[in-house]
Amino acid sequence: MLLFDDYKKIMLDKIKTIYSVQDNDMELGTNFGDFTLKIFKFKDNREEVYSRIKSSMDMEFIDRVELQGNYINFYIKSSKMLDTVENSIGTFGKYPNTFQDTSKALIEHTSSNPTGPIHVGRIRNSIIGDSIFRIIERYGTRSLTQYFVNDSGKQVISLYLGHIKYHKDEEMTVENLLDGYQKIYTNIDSDPDIKREVQELDEKYETGDNELIKEIQNTASIVLKSITDSLAKLGIHISTYVWESNFIMYGNVAQLIDSLSEDLKSEGKAKYIEIGDKKIFLTRQDGTSLYFARDLVYHMFKSENFDWIIDVLGEDHKDHAKNLDYVLHNYLDFPSRIDYLFYGFVSLDTGKMSTRKGNIVTVNDLYEKTVEESAAIIKQKRPEYSKEEVDKISNAIAASSIRYNIIKINANKPLTFRWDEALNFEGDSAPYIMYAYARACSLISKTGNTESSTEEYNEFEKALIKAMYVYPYYLQNSVDFLRADIIAGYILYLVKSFNEFYLNCPIIGNSEENKRMRIVRAFKKIMEDSADLLGIQLLEKI
RNA sequence: GCCCGUGUGGGGUAAUUUGGAUAUCCUGAAGGCCUGCGGAGCCUUAGAUUCGGGUUCAAAUCCCGGCGCGGGCGCCA
């Protein structure tokens, strides 16, 4: 929960004692006042409504109240907004302050099958998950992230078998494993032996051959390591891992199927549950379990320790999630709050991404090219920087840029990856944001820390102060709708306000220096706070 | 075919939940600022709500239909 001087709420509460208005009748103003109240429902006597509301607005933070058409616009004193931000930072080290929630949240994200490098499509999952995790933490809810490692099923068995068949005496490197995996897939249709071997291993695996399960876990963990290395480059660190095989090893899947037995129907030996006119199978004819059953077990497991479960899923999982949710709530008394966050697929401008056709861009490729490109620009713009500085900055730009370009798009929209956009560092981009921060830092390093108690602010100063003050409203919204793109939009708005201020308000040596530096120092803090939510790495020099 | 989602300037994108003022911002195009505290900047101009109906004082937003696009319809995951 966020704690700050919520002027909107204070005004609304007061207005509610006079007239019946809804919370959403008042919103943040854009061009017309700091806050604005819709009074269409009072339009027959709006003059009277206006004058009664106006005279009730006797709070100290009110600058003025105006009637414009069917709206009442409220202007807040900039000095009060700046005080609010500064006091909170001074007292609590952050604006807004938070009240620590007692509940615990678990965000499951990425969970890519450990059968290949992570590409720019899958990374959308990780970036959304990690940003939502950071936002919820910031909001005051204790959270962890979790990667569900899918190490059962034919895909991972093929990875294991590929190594045995094609690279048996070689070291288990990621390259060898992926090569063997590809070979299994290209040969499985023409070679009945391979099909049979996969089948045999699968049955052995499912009946709980713990020796085999462990060997396959080891194999998968090598590819998994390469995935988490890619994530780490973007500043994404998973708190916990859960191996799907553990649920088979410890018999949880069998238990679940037992406990549901009254609700299950059979077709031969295969068991299914009926939802509407659909049959959702939990086990196969041979008794082995299916994804749906294992996912039920996994969710029940998550709910044992967490009050709030968030799953980040590709939109191809929509039906699955709907059915899962239905069974969890109607047959299993699922105790936790659960949210499913879906995201649209990422395609390339050359068409759909396809591992088999080789039409993919891996995160490692993208990262390397972005580092290269930004390093070239830094060398040109700042030839005096050392190699270490160039390295540090270009890595920060690459991680920030990749994250920002993906998170700024509303998750449920499809996204087309384009190299020229990924490598554009102007306008709505991470370097634009990082640069504004560096400018602010440069000013701070050149000025002293002096007091100022001016009440008068020009339009640029006012706009920037307001942009800082409204941060909690954006944060609240992004938590309410579990949307990280709202924060991206906010940061861009904040930075634009700063750049306009910077160009129009000279500071060093100016008579307004002390007043303006108060604003700059607050801006620096809000930037650090908000950029961190998206994993944008701010540097004092860029 | 059926089900779910989506459609905003040349390209991308916000506002759509909760109907409300002049539809945001970026890019690209045309022009401009600046011996400037860091130009990865700032300003100006032109340019958009898929089509048809409906509800409403008011529709990008809600409802119905068409068309386009994405996803799903496995004893795969």
Side-chain angles (χ1 to χ4, degrees):
Chain A
M1 197 173 110
L2 302 177
L3 303 172
F4 69 110
D5 292 345
D6 186 345
Y7 297 142
K8 178 182 165 190
K9 187 170 188 308
I10 296 169
M11 292 190 291
L12 256 177
D13 285 348
K14 199 141 192 184
I15 294 165
K16 280 179 183 168
T17 65
I18 317 175
Y19 291 108
S20 137
V21 295
Q22 307 298 312
D23 284 355
N24 56 29
D25 286 333
M26 186 180 266
E27 48 196 39
L28 276 178
T30 46
N31 300 331
F32 307 93
D34 297 322
F35 294 94
T36 184
L37 181 74
K38 292 180 262 189
I39 52 163
F40 286 86
K41 57 183 157 191
F42 304 115
K43 65 180 177 179
D44 292 335
N45 56 339
R46 62 186 181 203
E47 293 291 341
E48 185 203 327
V49 171
Y50 165 64
S51 82
R52 285 193 64 185
I53 288 179
K54 184 179 178 164
S55 59
S56 75
M57 291 291 120
D58 53 2
M59 296 79 96
E60 219 197 324
F61 60 79
I62 298 281
D63 182 45
R64 62 185 200 280
V65 181
E66 289 173 357
L67 176 68
Q68 269 157 14
N70 290 306
Y71 296 85
I72 297 177
N73 294 322
F74 301 81
Y75 293 83
I76 310 296
K77 283 180 188 155
S78 296
S79 56
K80 290 293 167 195
M81 291 197 271
L82 184 57
D83 284 349
T84 295
V85 174
E86 270 186 345
N87 290 343
S88 182
I89 291 169
T91 314
F92 309 107
K94 60 186 174 183
Y95 172 78
N97 189 25
T98 50
F99 179 76
Q100 188 79 42
D101 207 324
T102 52
S103 66
K104 283 190 295 179
L106 182 72
I107 297 102
E108 183 211 336
H109 71 75
T110 311
S111 302
S112 283
N113 286 351
T115 50
I118 190 158
H119 57 68
V120 295
R122 281 293 186 164
I123 202 69
R124 194 175 191 186
N125 189 317
S126 321
I127 291 173
I128 291 168
D130 189 59
S131 303
I132 290 295
F133 158 69
R134 289 163 184 248
I135 289 166
I136 289 175
E137 272 274 311
R138 175 64 180 88
Y139 188 75
T141 304
R142 295 178 59 81
S143 314
L144 290 177
T145 56
Q146 191 160 84
Y147 189 128
F148 186 55
V149 187
N150 172 355
D151 61 332
S152 51
K154 295 207 167 70
Q155 291 198 35
V156 188
I157 285 170
S158 300
L159 186 76
Y160 171 76
L161 185 65
H163 182 255
I164 293 175
K165 281 188 91 77
Y166 303 107
H167 296 280
K168 194 171 177 33
D169 300 321
E170 296 166 54
E171 202 190 333
M172 259 204 208
T173 59
V174 178
E175 290 72 26
N176 284 341
L177 286 173
L178 295 184
D179 179 72
Y181 176 72
Q182 290 288 347
K183 285 199 171 110
I184 294 281
Y185 268 85
T186 42
N187 296 335
I188 193 161
D189 291 328
S190 53
D191 186 344
D193 281 354
I194 294 180
K195 202 165 190 171
R196 203 197 63 241
E197 284 175 83
V198 170
Q199 184 66 29
E200 283 172 5
L201 282 169
D202 194 26
E203 278 168 33
K204 214 171 154 192
Y205 188 102
E206 278 278 345
T207 48
D209 182 328
N210 291 359
E211 197 71 16
L212 178 67
I213 289 176
K214 291 231 165 84
E215 275 183 56
I216 290 184
Q217 274 191 3
N218 285 338
T219 312
S221 67
I222 290 169
V223 181
L224 179 66
K225 175 76 168 49
S226 77
I227 291 174
T228 55
D229 285 349
S230 301
L231 294 181
K233 287 180 185 167
L234 303 185
I236 298 172
H237 303 279
I238 310 277
S239 331
T240 53
Y241 294 83
V242 168
W243 294 76
E244 186 171 12
S245 52
N246 288 350
F247 295 126
I248 293 169
M249 237 178 349
Y250 301 128
N252 310 52
V253 177
Q255 271 174 32
L256 174 103
I257 287 166
D258 255 13
S259 72
L260 277 173
S261 59
E262 285 180 19
D263 306 302
L264 295 180
K265 298 185 177 174
S266 299
E267 210 170 273
K269 283 183 177 169
K271 290 182 177 155
Y272 65 90
I273 198 158
E274 235 171 13
I275 302 178
D277 53 1
K278 278 191 174 170
K279 296 173 180 174
I280 312 286
F281 281 87
L282 277 76
T283 63
R284 296 189 183 91
Q285 203 57 249
D286 62 13
T288 59
S289 68
L290 287 156
Y291 171 59
F292 192 82
R294 296 194 295 263
D295 209 22
L296 284 172
V297 172
Y298 176 43
H299 279 82
M300 293 311 288
F301 169 77
K302 289 200 265 197
S303 72
E304 284 170 23
N305 295 305
F306 296 91
D307 314 285
W308 186 10
I309 311 294
I310 297 174
D311 292 355
V312 183
L313 301 167
E315 63 181 351
D316 54 337
H317 277 61
K318 272 186 179 170
D319 277 3
H320 170 77
K322 198 174 158 190
N323 293 333
L324 185 83
D325 195 70
Y326 182 84
V327 175
L328 287 175
H329 288 105
N330 289 286
Y331 294 97
L332 293 166
D333 291 326
F334 192 70
S336 308
R337 168 180 172 184
I338 181 161
D339 286 286
Y340 309 91
L341 284 187
F342 298 105
Y343 63 92
F345 276 29
V346 179
S347 57
L348 302 178
D349 46 6
T350 52
K352 278 187 198 175
M353 250 188 288
S354 157
T355 314
R356 289 199 187 174
K357 289 177 188 160
N359 192 29
I360 64 163
V361 175
T362 66
V363 170
N364 290 346
D365 286 347
L366 173 60
Y367 188 84
E368 277 168 33
K369 283 220 172 77
T370 312
V371 168
E372 219 173 274
E373 181 80 13
S374 58
I377 294 174
I378 298 162
K379 280 176 194 158
Q380 181 207 333
K381 286 179 190 282
R382 320 253 182 267
E384 72 278 13
Y385 281 8
S386 68
K387 188 182 176 302
E388 289 69 32
E389 282 173 315
V390 174
D391 270 4
K392 185 179 163 199
I393 297 165
S394 56
N395 278 284
I397 287 180
S400 307
S401 209
I402 293 168
R403 292 187 66 138
Y404 183 74
N405 282 333
I406 287 177
I407 205 66
K408 72 180 181 182
I409 309 290
N410 188 326
N412 58 43
K413 289 209 172 199
L415 190 153
T416 305
F417 176 86
R418 293 186 181 85
W419 277 107
D420 56 340
E421 279 172 21
L423 299 178
N424 172 36
F425 299 146
E426 283 167 13
D428 187 4
S429 68
Y432 173 81
I433 292 162
M434 296 164 75
Y435 184 73
Y437 178 79
R439 275 176 153 177
C441 291
S442 172
L443 285 173
I444 289 168
S445 73
K446 288 177 180 159
T447 52
N449 200 341
T450 43
E451 297 294 309
S452 155
S453 54
T454 326
E455 294 264 325
E456 293 301 308
Y457 293 93
N458 71 22
E459 57 171 314
F460 301 104
E461 295 160 345
K462 278 184 176 165
L464 179 54
I465 290 169
K466 180 183 165 189
M468 297 191 288
Y469 170 76
V470 297
Y471 177 42
Y473 295 104
Y474 284 83
L475 195 49
Q476 181 70 49
N477 248 327
S478 101
V479 172
D480 288 347
F481 297 108
L482 294 174
R483 279 181 47 193
D485 58 299
I486 289 175
I487 299 297
Y490 171 73
I491 294 173
L492 189 70
Y493 156 58
L494 177 67
V495 166
K496 268 193 82 66
S497 307
F498 175 77
N499 278 338
E500 286 166 31
F501 160 84
Y502 182 86
L503 194 88
N504 291 289
C505 304
I507 296 176
I508 292 176
N510 190 283
S511 60
E512 312 272 315
E513 176 173 323
N514 292 344
K515 174 181 79 177
R516 289 180 176 160
M517 282 312 295
R518 272 183 72 195
I519 302 175
V520 174
R521 279 191 290 270
F523 168 77
K524 178 173 182 271
K525 288 298 259 189
I526 307 282
M527 277 298 288
E528 287 164 359
D529 197 302
S530 54
D532 186 57
L533 300 181
L534 304 184
I536 295 173
Q537 299 171 21
L538 300 175
L539 301 171
E540 302 208 347
K541 282 169 72 181
I542 114 161

